[in-house]
């Protein structure tokens, strides 16, 4: 799967770079010149998850008809192969959650994609994840990562708790989720039932902000954007002080309520009160240092594990296939809008702006001109561009254009005529004065004639 802008690579060179970087990192962690590098130890960070992090943790309502459930993170890695430009990275050890960061220590690290071993159009079983039981628990999967980040002034009074949810497959929208009249522009060019925007791997999240151990607000991730609410907002539904999150069919975008939700102006997500999932019942917990960007694993009270399991969070590549090129047999393109059936998988939790001033990420994703144009059109469509209204508003719009055009023409005409009336004569040449000698000679002749007339006898 080609990816634009990536340079070619040699698997052998990449492997050497990875192992060299790994060795260098291990050595530099012990020494820096002749001085030991000060690294936080387990004793310097509280290794126990604060009780309020689980007490106010979100509960997720999965869509009742969504076949793609929460998936085990390790099993996802096992069913994929690291690739760059459709070529496997050879010579690597067997990858797991303790060594996945090896892929981020070479010159091509951002280009590495965890590519599905199977033909994803056949939807192999591992893409579907696991259905929670009646209590919302998973028995064979760990599909949640919780990361705590000190917010505010760093005093510890303010803490952001990020709850990340993992799915092995994201199913995008189909024609039934496109609002009119845009759906009429693309339905003839789409295969029956075809979804677009599908990708392998899917990370979604909520963030709850705490002040002195009490929740004050919550953020819901939704596609390229999201929504946020104060904790006391009446829009929030809670069960035993835990906010409910409604996961959209296929896309797993998070919403505050069931029903239809419009995103990107023209697409619609659907949520319902399906099976309950309690993400923190099977989760990995971490502390993130906002200064050093170092992750430290922490544990629920009474539990402890030997494995650190932080390596997979440092993986900076994609958790799914690269977007297939247009000539790939699996790829399809939506007419007029250029949307693809299959797009690239997402990056991991540490790329989701863990350090924030407010509930929203500090840097929101910019919209393309096409997105802006569609947004403006759809905002005008209900009031001005639907049915007979389009003729009325079209006539008014044309009349306004004609009036404005005539006004500009008339103003320019008056401006030019005024400039011609006051135009300074200047052809670049001096205008010479009359010759003074000729002027004096003329005056003498006139005086002589006058005297002659006076002396003539009557």
């Amino acid at each position: 799967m080609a990816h634009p802008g990536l340079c070619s690579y040699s698997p052998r060179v990449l492997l050497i770079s990875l192992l060299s970087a790994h060795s260098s990192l291990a050595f530099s962690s012990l020494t820096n010149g002749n001085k030991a590098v000060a690294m936080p130890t387990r004793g310097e960070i509280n290794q126990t998850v604060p009780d309020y992090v689980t007490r106010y943790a979100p509960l997720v309502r999965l869509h009742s008809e969504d076949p793609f459930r929460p998936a085990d993170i390790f099993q996802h890695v096992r069913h994929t192969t690291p690739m760059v430009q459709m070529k496997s990275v050879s010579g690597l050890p067997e990858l797991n959650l303790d060594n996945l960061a090896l892929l981020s220590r070479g010159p091509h690290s951002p280009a590495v994609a965890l590519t599905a071993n199977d033909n994803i159009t056949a939807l192999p079983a591992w893409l579907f994840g696991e259905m929670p039981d009646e209590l919302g628990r998973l028995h064979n999967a760990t599909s949640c990562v919780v990361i705590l980040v000190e917010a505010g002034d760093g005093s510890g009074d303010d803490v952001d708790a990020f709850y990340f949810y993992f799915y092995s497959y994201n199913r995008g929208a189909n024609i039934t989720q496109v609002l009119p009249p845009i759906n009429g522009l693309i339905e003839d060019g789409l295969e029956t039932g075809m979804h677009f925007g599908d990708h392998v791997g899917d990370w979604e999240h909520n963030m709850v902000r705490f002040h002195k151990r009490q929740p004050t607000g919550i953020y819901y991730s939704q596609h390229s954007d999201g929504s946020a609410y104060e904790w006391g907002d009446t829009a929030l539904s809670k069960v035993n002080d835990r906010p409910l999150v409604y996961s959209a069919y296929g896309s797993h975008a998070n919403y505050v309520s069931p029903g239809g939700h419009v995103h990107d102006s023209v697409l619609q997500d659907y949520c319902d009160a399906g099976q309950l999932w309690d993400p923190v019942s099977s989760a990995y917990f971490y502390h993130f240092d906002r200064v050093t960007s170092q992750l430290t694993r922490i544990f629920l009270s009474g539990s402890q594990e030997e494995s650190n399991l932080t390596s997979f969070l440092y993986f900076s590549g994609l958790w799914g296939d690269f977007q297939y090129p247009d000539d790939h047999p699996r790829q399809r393109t939506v007419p007029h809008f250029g949307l693809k059936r299959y797009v690239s998988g997402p990056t991991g939790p540490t790329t989701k702006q863990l350090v924030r001033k407010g509930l929203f990420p500090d840097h929101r994703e910019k919209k393309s001109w096409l997105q802006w144009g569609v947004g403006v059109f759809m905002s005008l469509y209900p009031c001005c561009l639907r049915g007979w209204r389009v003729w009325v508003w079209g006539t008014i719009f044309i009349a306004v254009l004609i009036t404005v055009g005539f006004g500009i023409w008339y103003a320019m005409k008056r401006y030019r005529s005024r400039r011609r009336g006051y135009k300074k004569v200047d052809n670049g040449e001096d205008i010479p004065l009359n010759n003074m000698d000729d002027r004096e000679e003329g005056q003498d002749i006139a005086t002589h004639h006058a005297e002659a007339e006076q002396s003539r006898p009557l």
Side-chain angles (χ1 to χ4, degrees):
M1 288 150 288
H3 191 271
L6 299 180
C7 56
S8 60
Y9 87 110
S10 163
R12 179 175 295 179
V13 171
L14 178 56
L15 175 60
I16 293 173
S17 300
L18 294 176
L19 296 178
S20 298
H22 183 238
S23 301
S24 299
L25 183 65
F27 180 76
S28 62
S29 65
L30 298 175
T31 61
N32 184 8
N34 294 321
K35 297 180 180 179
V37 177
M39 299 292 288
T41 64
R42 288 197 166 197
E44 294 173 338
I45 296 177
N46 188 345
Q47 295 295 296
T48 303
V49 177
D51 59 354
Y52 61 85
V53 172
T54 54
R55 186 191 316 154
Y56 299 107
L59 293 168
V60 179
R61 284 285 187 183
L62 302 170
H63 193 282
S64 58
E65 298 180 5
D66 188 356
F68 302 103
R69 307 297 182 173
D72 184 72
I73 302 170
F74 174 56
Q75 289 300 319
H76 182 87
V77 173
R78 287 190 60 193
H79 285 91
T80 61
T81 297
M83 288 190 177
V84 175
Q85 293 188 349
M86 297 183 67
K87 296 181 179 180
S88 301
V89 180
S90 61
L92 292 172
E94 183 177 353
L95 293 174
N96 55 51
L97 302 187
D98 262 336
N99 65 2
L100 199 63
L102 281 172
L103 301 175
S104 298
R105 294 175 184 164
H108 302 281
S109 58
V112 178
L114 298 180
T115 305
N117 296 332
D118 304 287
N119 178 1
I120 61 172
T121 61
L123 297 177
W126 62 273
L127 292 179
F128 292 97
E130 180 184 344
M131 173 71 81
D133 65 16
E134 63 277 4
L135 297 178
R137 297 175 180 271
L138 300 175
H139 297 277
N140 299 303
T142 301
S143 308
C144 178
V145 170
V146 181
I147 301 178
L148 308 185
V149 185
E150 292 183 356
D153 58 5
S155 63
D157 288 342
D158 298 290
V159 173
D160 290 343
F162 289 83
Y163 302 85
F164 287 95
Y165 318 128
F166 184 72
Y167 308 82
S168 278
Y169 195 74
N170 177 103
R171 171 174 278 176
N174 63 16
I175 190 62
T176 67
Q177 295 169 259
V178 182
L179 298 179
I182 302 298
N183 57 355
L185 297 176
I186 64 176
E187 60 183 345
D188 292 338
L190 288 181
E191 299 174 10
T192 303
M194 190 190 92
H195 294 258
F196 48 91
D198 289 19
H199 55 83
V200 176
D202 191 19
W203 286 101
E204 302 291 343
H205 73 276
N206 289 112
M207 185 269 275
V208 177
R209 174 157 290 181
F210 295 92
H211 177 68
K212 294 185 177 179
R213 306 174 67 86
Q214 295 299 313
T216 61
I218 183 172
Y219 173 80
Y220 291 71
S221 68
Q222 298 156 3
H223 301 280
S224 60
D225 204 349
S227 58
Y229 303 86
E230 297 298 323
W231 196 256
D233 196 311
T234 56
L236 287 181
S237 300
K238 302 187 187 76
V239 175
N240 296 326
D241 292 329
R242 298 179 66 178
L244 284 177
V245 179
Y246 292 86
S247 176
Y249 173 88
S251 74
H252 309 120
N254 298 315
Y255 293 96
V256 72
S257 63
H261 300 273
V262 176
H263 67 92
D264 295 306
S265 303
V266 72
L267 300 175
Q268 187 161 234
D269 274 330
Y270 299 107
C271 303
D272 67 14
Q275 176 61 48
L276 183 72
W277 174 36
D278 183 1
V280 297
S281 65
S282 179
Y284 302 117
F285 296 85
Y286 302 88
H287 173 271
F288 179 80
D289 190 306
R290 57 184 295 164
V291 177
T292 65
S293 297
Q294 181 175 349
L295 287 156
T296 303
R297 192 173 180 193
I298 56 179
F299 301 89
L300 294 172
S301 179
S303 66
Q304 190 80 13
E305 297 182 28
E306 292 298 324
S307 180
N308 190 28
L309 288 183
T310 59
S311 181
F312 75 98
L313 291 174
Y314 291 113
F315 171 56
S316 59
L318 302 181
W319 283 80
D321 301 28
F322 277 121
Q323 177 176 308
Y324 304 135
D326 291 348
D327 59 356
H328 194 283
R330 300 176 187 171
Q331 191 63 283
R332 299 289 185 275
T333 302
V334 177
H336 309 299
F337 295 93
L339 302 175
K340 304 300 180 181
R341 180 178 183 181
Y342 294 107
V343 297
S344 296
T347 53
T350 55
T351 66
K352 310 304 181 186
Q353 301 188 49
L354 298 180
V355 178
R356 306 179 181 184
K357 295 178 182 177
L359 295 174
F360 284 96
D362 293 346
H363 305 287
R364 311 281 284 275
E365 184 172 316
K366 294 183 180 180
K367 294 183 178 180
S368 67
W369 286 108
L370 178 61
Q371 289 174 311
W372 277 110
V374 171
V376 171
F377 176 82
M378 292 303 295
S379 64
L380 294 175
Y381 177 72
C383 68
C384 310
L385 301 177
R386 183 166 53 184
W388 58 267
R389 297 176 183 85
V390 67
W391 298 106
V392 174
W393 286 102
T395 302
I396 293 174
F397 180 70
I398 292 173
V400 169
L401 283 181
I402 293 174
T403 303
V404 170
F406 178 78
I408 294 173
W409 172 80
Y410 183 73
M412 292 296 295
K413 182 179 179 182
R414 284 182 56 85
Y415 174 74
R416 288 172 180 169
S417 63
R418 293 183 64 183
R419 278 183 59 87
R420 283 196 297 268
Y422 291 97
K423 186 175 180 180
K424 179 181 177 181
V425 177
D426 185 6
N427 59 6
E429 299 179 359
D430 293 334
I431 301 177
L433 297 174
N434 293 329
N435 188 284
M436 296 302 295
D437 293 337
D438 292 340
R439 185 177 178 183
E440 291 176 358
E441 181 178 349
Q443 290 178 347
D444 291 343
I445 294 173
T447 303
H448 175 72
H449 283 296
E451 291 176 349
E453 288 293 331
Q454 291 177 359
S455 62
R456 182 182 298 175
L458 296 174

